[in-house]
Amino acid sequence: MSAEYHSSDVEQPAETRRPSRGVYWLPNLFTTGTLFGGFYAIVAAIDGNFSNAGIAIFVAMIADGLDGRVARWTNTQSDFGKEYDSLCDMVAFGLAPAIVVYQWGIERIYDYGKFWGRFGWLACFFFAVAAALRLARFNARAATADKRYFEGLPSPSAAAAVASFIWLVSEFPVTGLPALALAFAITICIGALMVSKFSYWSGKELNMRGRIPWVYAALIPLIYVLVSLAPVSLFTLFGLYAASAPLHWVWRKLTRKKRPAEVA
């Protein structure tokens, strides 16, 4: 009887076993929903359906908010899921809003000269680059960052601010160069906030499973009222969130200057 045997015939220690090559289907199902929302927003914008494009980006936001929570609730976190989520976020919250803005204004802004046409596509490209940089910075600093705050405007909130604005103006006969310049200026400002160092409240310390005073339950119908008033309410909500960190920074600067004067 031969003494030779293959190493595969012997059970290997747990730490030397090859990791499973499969992926968890449930959280990645929601992550794919994020990608689908971004892709559909691009297709809808190319077809000129900007209301549907805005709705698709918000659907992508909902899917993006659920995939991580589902992974934690079911204990199915994985490195593959993190990488896949970042790629899908880039499409849904980086490329899709930029293309939606470009498609909305490109047919109008070229009527005012080549300069404005170039300004339009450069503004959209800047937003896409800012989203990519924001996602890369988030991934690089995720292990050491303060979970209570985001450094820079989160890309889903940035996409929501831009998409809700285009959704809003697409439902009204908005014409003229000032409206087009405002749309691209908002795109640039939102992109700059993504790569800024402003601290935005993350809301991660909220306990979604906890109890709240019954009086606060009266505020729940307000959520449905805000949804019914979309896109006005959505643009107001995400616009205020985007402006909250810069305004808070200005407020702190002003109060710090007053305090030494009061002490003196």
Side-chain angles (χ1 to χ4, degrees), residues 182-223:
L182 176 62
F184 291 118
I186 289 176
T187 304
I188 292 176
C189 292
I190 295 296
L193 288 175
M194 277 194 288
V195 294
S196 69
K197 293 186 177 181
F198 291 125
S199 297
Y200 285 88
W201 179 58
S202 66
K204 291 184 178 181
E205 67 269 21
L206 293 177
N207 185 10
M208 302 302 295
R209 299 181 181 180
R211 295 176 179 269
I212 60 174
W214 67 271
V215 178
Y216 293 168
L219 299 177
I220 296 178
L222 181 62
I223 299 175

Side-chain angles (χ1 to χ4, degrees), residues 20-40:
S20 176
R21 296 183 179 180
V23 296
Y24 297 108
W25 69 271
L26 187 57
N28 290 306
L29 178 65
F30 289 97
T31 306
T32 305
T34 303
L35 179 61
F36 175 78
F39 178 79
Y40 181 81

